[in-house]
Amino acid sequence: MADREFEQKLQQAINRSSQWAGHGWSITFGPRDEIVSSLQQAEQLPADIVYRQVAIDYWNNVDRLGQEAAEWGRQAMRHLQQNNLNAAEDAVYYARYLERPIAQQTLTWEPVHLFLYERLSHAEK
């Protein structure tokens, strides 16, 4: 297995997921489908905007998911450095699981998990 290539993909996923709420994506809130594309934008909405708290809660949840997924990615990196590929796969799988509610917007951990799964499958043959 090309550990260096996997480490690079893993580090990119860690960096990306830890920035989900900051980089964001287009999502709409409120009765007029107003776009609020990041946590920063949500926090900058005027206090009297009806959907402000909903947008802040959404982006805080995205931030929490991203930080937790990044931590699982760091655990996968530690396992990889210890040459414990099965534990690394388990950690990446969990990061992928955390991403599921927002996977349409992010698609960060699915490709990493598929890459590792494919490498492990070929290594076993």
Side-chain angles (χ1 to χ4, degrees), residues 27 30 32 34 44 47 56 59 64-65 70 80 87 95 119:
I27 187 160
R32 291 176 208 76
E34 299 290 333
Q44 290 175 350
I56 289 172
W59 286 110
R64 182 188 58 77
L65 289 172
L80 184 63
R119 293 293 175 109

Side-chain angles (χ1 to χ4, degrees), residues 28-31 36 38-39 41-62:
T28 59
F29 297 92
V36 181
S38 69
L39 179 57
Q41 277 188 355
E43 290 171 337
Q44 290 175 350
L45 290 170
D48 62 343
I49 298 291
V50 172
Y51 56 87
R52 180 180 190 270
Q53 193 58 50
V54 174
I56 289 172
D57 289 348
Y58 173 83
W59 286 110
N60 277 328
N61 188 48
V62 167

Side-chain angles (χ1 to χ4, degrees), residues 1 20 22 34 48 62 87 98 106:
M1 179 168 152
W20 284 340
E34 299 290 333
D48 62 343
V62 167
L98 290 167
T106 59

Side-chain angles (χ1 to χ4, degrees), residues 2-120:
D3 289 347
R4 186 62 50 201
E5 185 179 3
F6 179 64
E7 282 182 23
Q8 183 179 22
K9 288 184 181 301
L10 190 54
Q11 190 59 55
Q12 288 170 346
I14 291 166
N15 295 342
R16 186 171 177 196
S17 64
S18 66
Q19 295 296 315
W20 284 340
H23 290 214
W25 46 81
S26 292
I27 187 160
T28 59
F29 297 92
R32 291 176 208 76
D33 291 330
E34 299 290 333
I35 296 174
V36 181
S37 298
S38 69
L39 179 57
Q40 182 180 7
Q41 277 188 355
E43 290 171 337
Q44 290 175 350
L45 290 170
D48 62 343
I49 298 291
V50 172
Y51 56 87
R52 180 180 190 270
Q53 193 58 50
V54 174
I56 289 172
D57 289 348
Y58 173 83
W59 286 110
N60 277 328
N61 188 48
V62 167
D63 187 50
R64 182 188 58 77
L65 289 172
Q67 298 309 318
E68 192 172 346
E71 180 53 37
W72 281 96
R74 286 187 281 276
Q75 287 183 34
M77 187 72 79
R78 287 190 292 274
H79 292 306
L80 184 63
Q81 291 166 350
Q82 297 166 356
N83 204 31
N84 188 344
L85 300 180
N86 289 328
E89 182 188 19
D90 290 346
V92 169
Y93 176 86
Y94 195 71
R96 178 180 158 223
Y97 171 79
L98 290 167
E99 178 183 44
R100 277 194 161 162
I102 55 175
Q104 274 189 307
Q105 290 82 14
T106 59
L107 198 59
T108 301
W109 290 100
E110 176 80 15
V112 175
H113 183 255
L114 292 174
F115 180 85
L116 179 56
Y117 180 77
E118 183 178 301
R119 293 293 175 109
L120 288 172

